[in-house]
Every structure is written in structure tokens, then in C-alpha cells.
Amino acid sequence: MNSSTVPPEPMGLELNHKTILGLGRYQALDIDGMQAETLAGLLRQMLRLRRTEEAILHEYHPADEIRCPVHFCIGQEAMPAALSLLVEAEDYLFSHHRTHGYYFAKGAPMREFFAEIYGRVTGANQGRAGSMDISHEASRFYGGAILSGSIGIAVGAAYALQHRHSRQISIAGFGEGATEEGAFWEAVNYAGLRRLPILFLCENNRYSVYSDQTKRQASDNICERVATFGVRARRIFGNDAALTHRTLQLEMEAMREGGGPALVEAYTYRWNSHVGPEDDSDNEYRTVEEIAFWRQNCPIRLLEEKLTAAGRFDSVRRENLESEIAAEIAENFKFAKSSPFPHIDDWRTANWNPASPLADRLLETLTESEFDQYQAEAKLAPY
Amino acid sequence: MHLTESVHRPLSYGKAINEALRQSMELCEDVIVLGQLVDYKSGVFGTTTGLADRFGPGRVQDFPNSENLMTATAMGAALAGLRPVVVHQRFDFMLYSLDAIANWLGLWYFKSAGKSDMPVTIRAIVGKGWGQGPQHSKSLHAWLAHLPGLRVAIPATADDAKGLLMDSVFSQTPAVFIEGRSLFPMTTNVPEKPYRVRFGQATIRRTGCDATIVAIGNMVPIALRAAAALERDGIQVEVVDPRTISPLDTATICASVAKTRRLLVTDPGWHSFGVAAEIVATVAEELGGELKAKPVRVCLPDSHTPMSATLEEQYYPEETALETAVRRMVRL
Ligand SMILES: Cc1ncc(C[n+]2csc(CCOP(=O)(O)OP(=O)(O)O)c2C)c(N)n1
Ligand SMILES: [Mg+2]
């Protein structure tokens, strides 16, 4: 695969947020040759994420027990669902502020997720991080709210993996807005330079809060720009879960064999406000038609209808799936709500790890220091 | 381990740093060094010389001029099991990485609720003299010490430089290691074998009963020379070198001031809102009513660094400034 060219656009159209709207109902979803297990998995993961988000949305107000900013990913389920079927336990996954999909994609537990956003001691981070900053060390999942900040850390994990000739990869998930940060381009340059095993996943949902991509970027050609750094880049219609799965699979398999870094830009859309359950449409930043287009092309619906038409899914299976997911969510909500709140006894040890086992093992401690006071401080030589 | 019990020899500050890196890399293959020009023969002012030859390019990496990414890369690598040492030729260059330091590195352990460590060491060299000017001479160590979750060392001697650097490399908490460029040729007796100096343990460099000078980094030799001059006039000054400003050994500082009841703090940073202010405030909280004189700060003026040699002389405080201040305190 040539590292510096953008592969052909699917459907032969110049894919961007304007041309997409001309598609009407998306017809290109193709499941030929895909395993039944994969397709069922995609549907299951998307539905589980959707129902989880809906449950949080529903619970958020008026109960006000979830007291942290929450960025919902309803409408953007295809990418995390595809990723969840392909990512391995030993891979590293780093997420931007819209963490939920990625948290679940990495297989991190739902109970610690709910407990975290409820601020409980049983949470993934004992209530210190919340929705935006949640991490789950045992699952090698790390979130964080500063745009593009975690991408460089993902590069570092990829550096260590390459250093150890590991087949594992590092993955960074973020929005198109993060690509405006200088930190992003530093990361892309270094990934291309060293051919690091890092997968950049850019979910382009058009907006940074309310601001349109074309108000912020000279051109909406992220892939083209990234490709010039020697990072394979391809853009896809991101609500097609089957296509997303095939694309990620191709990239991840190549990467595990030393194929170098890649970026996948998935065009998608968030249905809800940027943050929180309140409606932000009074800012008049997007049209009713645009929202209608994307709701019509709901990633779950697109796949479900295709599977149903092919006789591979039906209402009975749907009901079973729904009740299974509902039970899981209900149980984990209950766990979170009945968990105790945390308390920090010592702020200092909360911020520092006082243990240093390796230093204890390797190093003796020098207890004194001496100094000859009559040495003049040196003047610098010309720099 | 006592210095006298160890096999030791005089070594310069710069060479002690080089030895600390070499021994760390010998002890543990997870230790890597990242920084601009670290793999050239000249090394970074000699501190990385020979490492690339010895340990290969995989462990000693020249890095693009991307300081923010360099810190982030070290963080990710640490998360995945390595122990990176990041080198900045100047503290000023490190400022591009403040997001990585303040928004990620310092709070990683806290945010993970103690489940995730980031053993990253960041070396930052502070220029002084020869017209370094305002973008090659800043020491914003107080900024760093202000951040929870980060340790900050500012060693004044070669033996401390080696021991604190090795402690940084092999501990779990991230550390910023601030090196005064003007100290590089100065020598002390340095044990040959690997060792650590503990963070948060000040050392008393000279004992005295009339006044305490707390001296930071490259103000330590200056304070010691001032103390020697004052002794000739019968004024006994105790010189405390905190060695690390985060954690800060307030107990040793307060014990000294409780004895001398006079405090001067000298810090190679700006006068206002700095480490000196923090130390004076801590002492005031502990023993404010017991002081025999008002505490004094001798720091850099609240101004950016000038280039011209004559202005540099005016800008950087020397022992005479300390002597004058102590004489005034003692006379009262
Ligand atoms: C460095 C930084 N600047 C600004 C913000 C505030 N902010 C939070 S989310 C966001 C929008 C980001 O848009 P995008 O990256 O496209 O992700 P999306 O929210 O669309 O998923 C902004 C500006 C931030 N978190 N970090
Ligand atoms: Mg966006």
C-alpha cells in the first residue's frame, strides 16, 4: 500500500459534509462476505452504546446525580462498535472528551463507568475523573478533555511498542476539531517519521461545539494533509458500520505487521447538543434538514435494515437484544447509585505515588553532600 | 551510604549528570533518552556524550523540534513500561510542553486514582551569562513547583545532581530536574557507584547561629561565599540548600530559622510570586512571632534577562548583595 496517497473515495464522490447531504438515503451499505458474528457484534455494540447514552440522557435531569459534563455520542456509534470488535486487550486506546464510545470499545466495564460518572468510589477513577477524563488502566483505556493532548501520549505508547517489537498498536480517537491544534501535527509528523504503529481515528461530525469545520480550517481535506506526512489516510462514510469495520480491519492488520501509521476520517454526526442533555439548537448553527438527513442515516438503522432484508435479523432477535441490554444497564445504574461516595484523607498522597520499588531495589541512598565554596561559578562559553 | 565510606572522586556537575544517565541505562534497559541533539558527540553540553555509542539509537533519540510532543511521547512510553528522560537544552524551550506537563503529566496519577504511574524525568537547563538574553535564561521552577503531582529538583552540586537524577529515573512520580548551566564545570566528590539522593530532604551546607540563608540552585555557591565573608566579621550564617523545591523540606528550614531567628532566601528566579515567597510564607506561618528581623528575599529583579554583559552583572545578585542584606538583618 502506498503510504502517501489517499485511496479512492467510496461511492466515487468527493466526500465532505456538504456533498454527503446530497446522498439522500444511504444505499451503499454492503455486507457481502462479512461474517455473521461480526455483523451481529456491530449491531449489538451500537445498540448497547445507544441505549446506554439514552439512559444517561434520561437520568441526567432532573435527578442531577450525574454531576459532570457529559458529551453524548448518539449518532456516532459505528466507529466505536467497529473498533470494539478489532481492538485487542493489549492495545492502547486514547480518547478525547467524547469518551463513552471508546471506553466501551476497549471492553472496560460498565459498572465502573456508571459509578465514575456518578462520582462514586467504585468508579473507574474513584470519582476523580468523570465522563471527560475517565480512564481504565486495566483495559489500557485513557480519556482526557484537552483537545489533541492525548494524541501525543498515544504516539508515546506506539513508540514503546515499536521499541519492543510488539505487534500491539496504539489508537487515538478524536474529532475533526482536534486537528486544528499544533500538537496534532507534531504527532502526525513523528508518527510518519518513525512509522509508528498508531491508528488515528478522526470522527468528523462537522462541528466544534457550534463552529463549522470550514469556519476553522482552510480546507476540509484532513486526509490529504495528513497523507503528506507519510501517514496513510482514508476517509469514509462513518455511519456505515460495515464499511468502518472493513476499513479498520485493513488498517489494523497492516499495522500489526509493521505497516506504519494510518488515519481514518469517518464522516458522522452527533444528534444531541455538544455537551449535556439540553438542546443547543437555539444557537442556530445547524439546519433541521441536516439533522433529518443524519437521523435518517442512523448507523444502527442502516445496518439493521440491511440485515433484516437479508434475512439475518428479525424482531425476535431485536427484542432479545433489547431486553438483555436493558437488564445490563439497569443493574449497573443500580450499582452506581448504591455505591458510596469517595473521601480523600491525604491530598498529597492522592497526587503522588510515594512508593519507589525500583529505586529501592537498585539504589543506595546518599545521606550527605559536600561542597567547596571557593569555586567560582563558571561563566558560559559562547553558546 | 556516607560519602566518606564510598569510593568517590571529584567530578564536575555536567559529568555527574552524564554518569547518572549512563549508569541508569546500564541498570535498566527501559531507560531511554529523548531530546534535540542528544546523540551527537558533543551531547547536550557533554551530559549525553557517549550514550548513543554505548546504548544505540533505539535508546538515545534525537527528537524533532516538537517539545510538546516530546513530553507526550515520554508519557505514553512511560505508560507502556519505559523510563524516559527528556532533555531540554533550555528551560525556555520546554515551555511549548506546558500543556503536556500541567494538563496531563502532573495529574495522571491523581486522575487515575493511583492506578497509573508515569515515571518521566524532564531535564531543563537554565542559561546564565554570555548574553543568553530573555529567551535562554529563564528559570520558571516556581511554576512547576506550583503544580501538584510533579516533583522538582534543583541541585547545586555534582553529587546531588547524580543522586537526584537517578532517583528521578527510578521512582514512580514524574520529576522535573533543573540544571544551572553555570554550575556545569563545578566539582564535588561523587561516589562512583549508582545511588540516589532523596527528594524532600534539604541539606545544611554550613552551620551558624546568627542567620539562615536558604539558597536555591546556583545561589548555593554564592551564599556559601557570602557566609564565608560574613564569618570574617564574626557573623555565623547557616546555609540551607533545599535541593528539591517540590517536595520542599520545610522541617529542616524551620528548624534552622527557629535556631537563628533570621531568614534570608535567595532564589535564581524572579522576586515576586516565587519560591522565596513560598519559603518566607511557610516560615512566617510556623514561627512568625519569633523572628528577630524581617525576612528578606534576594532574587532576580522582576524583569526579563538583559543581554549586555554590564546589564547581566547588574541583574544577577552576587555574594555582596547577600552580605549586605545579612549585615542589615543582624544589626537590627
Ligand atoms: C485545548 C482545548 N481547547 C478547547 C476546548 C473546549 N472544547 C471542548 S470540546 C470542543 C469541540 C471539539 O470538537 P471536535 O474535536 O470536533 O470534537 P467533537 O466535540 O465534535 O466530538 C472544544 C472546543 C478543549 N477541551 N481543549
Ligand atoms: Mg467535531
Side-chain angles (χ1 to χ4, degrees), chain A residues 124 128 133 137 143 156 159 164 186 194 352-353 356 360 364-366 368-370 373 375 377 380, chain B residues 1 3 30 61 69 80 110-111 115-117 128 149 159 173 181-182 187 189 193 196 205 225 228:
Chain A
R128 294 185 193 181
D133 289 315
E137 176 65 30
Y159 178 101
R164 293 185 165 154
E186 291 187 9
R194 296 193 47 94
W352 278 349
N353 186 350
S356 54
D360 296 346
E364 278 186 67
T365 300
L366 183 68
E368 60 179 339
S369 177
E370 58 163 51
Q373 67 203 56
Q375 297 176 71
E377 262 190 302
L380 288 194
Chain B
M1 178 174 81
L3 185 66
D30 295 330
Q61 285 272 338
L69 180 76
F110 172 82
K111 190 163 89 69
K115 289 174 190 159
S116 189
D117 287 326
K128 181 184 177 187
D159 52 325
T173 301
R181 175 70 182 92
S182 63
T187 64
N189 280 317
K193 66 170 160 185
R196 78 202 293 196
R205 298 231 171 252
R225 290 199 296 273

Side-chain angles (χ1 to χ4, degrees), chain A residues 48-66:
Chain A
R48 180 174 182 252
L49 185 53
R50 171 74 56 93
R51 296 292 177 252
T52 304
E53 293 288 79
E54 287 170 345
I56 298 169
L57 203 59
H58 182 73
E59 286 286 320
Y60 203 90
H61 294 313
D64 285 349
E65 288 181 87
I66 300 167

Side-chain angles (χ1 to χ4, degrees), chain B residues 68 105 172 182 332:
Chain B
N68 189 53
L105 182 61
Q172 298 307 106
S182 63
L332 287 176

Side-chain angles (χ1 to χ4, degrees), chain A residues 17 76 96-98 174-178 180 202-209 211 213 216 268 270 274:
Chain A
H17 269 292
Q76 301 187 201
H96 65 159
H97 55 283
R98 209 171 291 287
F174 50 89
E176 87 295 338
E180 285 144 41
C202 177
E203 286 185 84
N204 185 333
N205 63 7
R206 184 165 184 168
Y207 298 101
S208 169
V209 192
S211 173
Q213 184 186 9
R216 298 173 279 122
T268 184
R270 66 170 156 75
H274 166 68

